[in-house]
Amino acid sequence: MDKPIVAKVYNGREWRYRRTKVLNMGHEELAAKVGVHPHSIHRWENGTRTPSAAQVVVMAHHLGIPIVELTDRVSEDLEALRTLVTLEKMRWAEDGEEPITSYPNEDGWQSG
C-alpha cells in the first residue's frame, strides 16, 4: 500500500532541493529528525530506495511541506488520502508539532 502513495507524493530531487537550497539542511540533520540513518536519506533522494509513507509525512513536516501539498497529489484516491491524513495525525500526536501551513522559500517563510 505504501509504494503507490509514496510514488504519488514523494520526489527525491524536489525534496533534496528544498532540503539543501531552501533550508540549508544537511542529510544528517534530516535523518536525525526522521529517525533513520543518513544513508537512507541519500538513497531516497537518489531513488535507489523508497521511504515509507510514514517517513514521507515526517520528512515533509521537517522540510516545511504542508500536508495539504501531499494530500492534493492523492485527492482522487480516497484510501491514500485517508492514509496520509492518519499518518499526519499520528506524527502530530507523537511530536506535538502542529502541521505546517506555510511554505519555505529562498526569502524566508511565505503563506501557503
Side-chain angles (χ1 to χ4, degrees):
M1 176 62 186
D2 265 12
K3 288 191 181 200
I5 295 172
V6 172
K8 290 177 184 176
V9 300
Y10 178 74
N11 179 310
R13 273 195 170 151
E14 241 177 63
W15 290 30
R16 178 178 40 226
Y17 177 85
R18 194 179 292 252
R19 176 180 61 76
T20 60
K21 303 295 184 196
V22 177
L23 299 174
N24 197 27
M25 180 189 297
H27 66 282
E28 298 89 356
E29 182 181 349
L30 181 58
K33 291 178 179 199
V34 177
V36 298
H37 194 279
H39 288 157
S40 295
I41 301 296
H42 180 75
R43 290 177 184 127
W44 297 340
E45 290 176 344
N46 289 326
T48 57
R49 297 270 191 242
T50 304
S52 70
Q55 290 165 327
V56 166
V57 168
V58 173
M59 272 194 298
H61 176 76
H62 290 292
L63 293 175
I65 299 169
I67 188 67
V68 71
E69 184 175 318
L70 303 184
T71 57
D72 281 353
R73 294 180 185 190
V74 296
S75 61
E76 294 182 15
D77 181 345
L78 190 56
E79 189 174 342
L81 185 60
R82 285 183 183 147
T83 298
L84 288 174
V85 169
T86 299
L87 290 170
E88 175 60 7
K89 286 179 181 178
M90 290 168 58
R91 185 218 45 85
W92 187 4
E94 186 174 314
D95 68 20
E97 294 182 23
E98 291 190 29
I100 301 295
T101 58
S102 59
Y103 296 88
N105 65 19
E106 288 85 355
D107 301 324
W109 290 91
Q110 121 188 91
S111 285

